[in-house]
Amino acid sequence: MIRGALLIALASLLWATTGIVAKFLFSDTSLQPLTLALLRLLVALPFFWVLMKRELDSRTAAGEQRRLWPSVSPPALMVLAALGLFQAFYQGSYLLAVDLTGAGIATLISLCLPPVLVAILAAPLLGEKPRLITILALIAAIAGTGMLVVSDMDTAGSLRLAGILMALLAAAVYTGFTLTSRYNSAGTPVFTTAFICFLVAALLLLPVVWLSGGFGGLDTLGPREWLMVVYIGVVPTCIGYVGFFIGMKTTPATLSSIIVTLEPLFVALLAWLILGEVLGPIGIAGALILTVAVIVASVSSRSGTPAKE
């Protein structure tokens, strides 16, 4: 339980760097958000292919028949295709929100609503009934995130509607991704899940970027900007999502949705360190409430759930 929670927390930290780096790219180049979403997937796919092949080789060494492609049942393949669909929509809507508003407000909104939606839907769909203290911690996490949102609005001086709507769409899509990941986590191997998920997402985004002329901005990228694209594809995408998938194996969907609310806190801290954005009193209070809520939720979940070997 603790290992899974720590892996999801690490994934949240790595994901937090995505919006910061993406904002630099959008400010300095003509790169479109959907194009960046596709590029990060294309960079990540070879890594996941290698990891998936190692996974297949380890199963061959254990006595299974050697395969060039994993054996996935049709129901499991449909689940993975759904993960890819969610991933494509999330990547596009989130990066659009970052471009239209900012890394902070986009991340805050896109990860503020999913814990509420997951908590509501996890009981009927996954049979996970959260304890009272977990629900209270969830409410505190949402309150803390809301305070960070208010602080960001004060800094921006306005409410950026188009970007907020995109962030709301990302929140809805991320809810589906979290629930589907939990449903699939006990079946298909981790790296097979990751590869097929991102392959489907890339295939869905490719024609959209092509038809919208999104490749036109690639000529504005220099070596520095290409390194940023590679970073987004390797660190937050490869390392972050692998940690998330592994962590989901032993972490209930409700708890994992609370832990990933650390990402807005990480974004706020990175924005302060890298961009010089200073949190006001409301933002600092919200960050503290958010941190305490995650700790309480982790402890209560551990004490109320039997340990898994």
Side-chain angles (χ1 to χ4, degrees):
M1 175 68 73
I2 290 296
R3 178 175 177 270
L6 289 176
L7 283 172
I8 294 175
L10 174 62
S12 299
L13 173 60
L14 298 181
W15 291 338
T17 65
T18 301
I20 302 295
V21 177
K23 196 62 180 177
F24 278 117
L25 283 170
F26 297 148
S27 300
D28 299 340
T29 71
S30 299
L31 186 67
Q32 298 298 313
L34 289 179
T35 309
L36 178 57
L38 175 62
L39 289 176
R40 78 179 292 190
L41 295 174
L42 293 178
V43 169
L45 277 173
F47 291 89
F48 284 118
W49 169 260
V50 171
L51 292 173
M52 183 181 70
K53 291 294 294 178
R54 290 183 61 185
E55 198 170 53
L56 289 175
D57 291 341
S58 66
R59 290 183 168 229
T60 300
E64 293 188 11
Q65 181 180 359
R66 185 174 183 85
R67 299 177 184 272
L68 296 177
W69 183 260
S71 178
V72 181
S73 65
L77 189 59
M78 290 183 64
V79 173
L80 295 176
L83 283 174
L85 179 64
F86 284 131
Q87 187 61 225
F89 272 95
Y90 177 76
Q91 294 292 336
S93 56
Y94 170 68
L95 290 174
L96 276 170
V98 169
D99 188 29
L100 293 171
T101 57
I105 190 67
T107 305
L108 291 166
I109 294 177
S110 64
L111 289 179
C112 178
L113 290 181
V116 179
L117 299 176
V118 169
I120 294 172
L121 297 174
L125 295 181
L126 303 179
E128 297 178 5
K129 187 176 181 180
R131 301 173 63 196
L132 177 59
I133 191 171
T134 305
I135 295 175
L136 294 176
L138 175 63
I139 295 172
I142 300 305
T145 306
M147 294 170 72
L148 286 171
V149 171
V150 172
S151 178
D152 184 84
M153 287 174 57
D154 289 341
T155 302
S158 62
L159 186 64
R160 295 161 284 192
L161 183 58
I164 288 175
L165 291 176
M166 284 294 102
L168 289 172
L169 175 61
V173 173
Y174 187 79
T175 300
F177 181 81
T178 301
L179 291 169
T180 307
S181 297
R182 179 59 180 169
Y183 176 80
N184 175 70
S185 61
T188 310
V190 172
F191 301 124
T192 299
T193 297
F195 178 77
I196 297 179
C197 169
F198 290 125
L199 176 62
V200 171
L203 291 175
L204 291 172
L205 283 173
L206 180 60
V208 176
V209 173
W210 180 274
L211 294 175
S212 63
F215 291 117
L218 294 180
D219 56 357
T220 63
L221 300 180
R224 175 174 172 268
E225 288 74 26
W226 277 112
L227 283 176
M228 291 183 182
V229 171
V230 171
Y231 169 85
I232 291 177
V234 173
V235 179
T237 309
C238 294
I239 300 176
Y241 277 102
V242 166
F244 174 77
F245 280 122
I246 295 175
M248 284 292 292
K249 284 181 172 291
T250 57
T251 308
T254 302
L255 175 59
S256 68
S257 67
I258 297 174
I259 295 174
V260 295
T261 59
L262 280 173
E263 183 175 343
L265 172 61
F266 292 144
V267 170
L269 291 174
L270 291 174
W272 172 57
L273 292 172
I274 298 174
L275 305 177
E277 298 178 1
V278 180
L279 283 175
I282 295 177
I284 294 174
L288 292 174
I289 292 173
L290 183 58
T291 303
V292 172
V294 171
I295 294 173
V296 171
S298 299
V299 172
S300 66
S301 178
R302 183 188 180 193
S303 62
T305 304
K308 293 183 180 180
E309 296 297 332

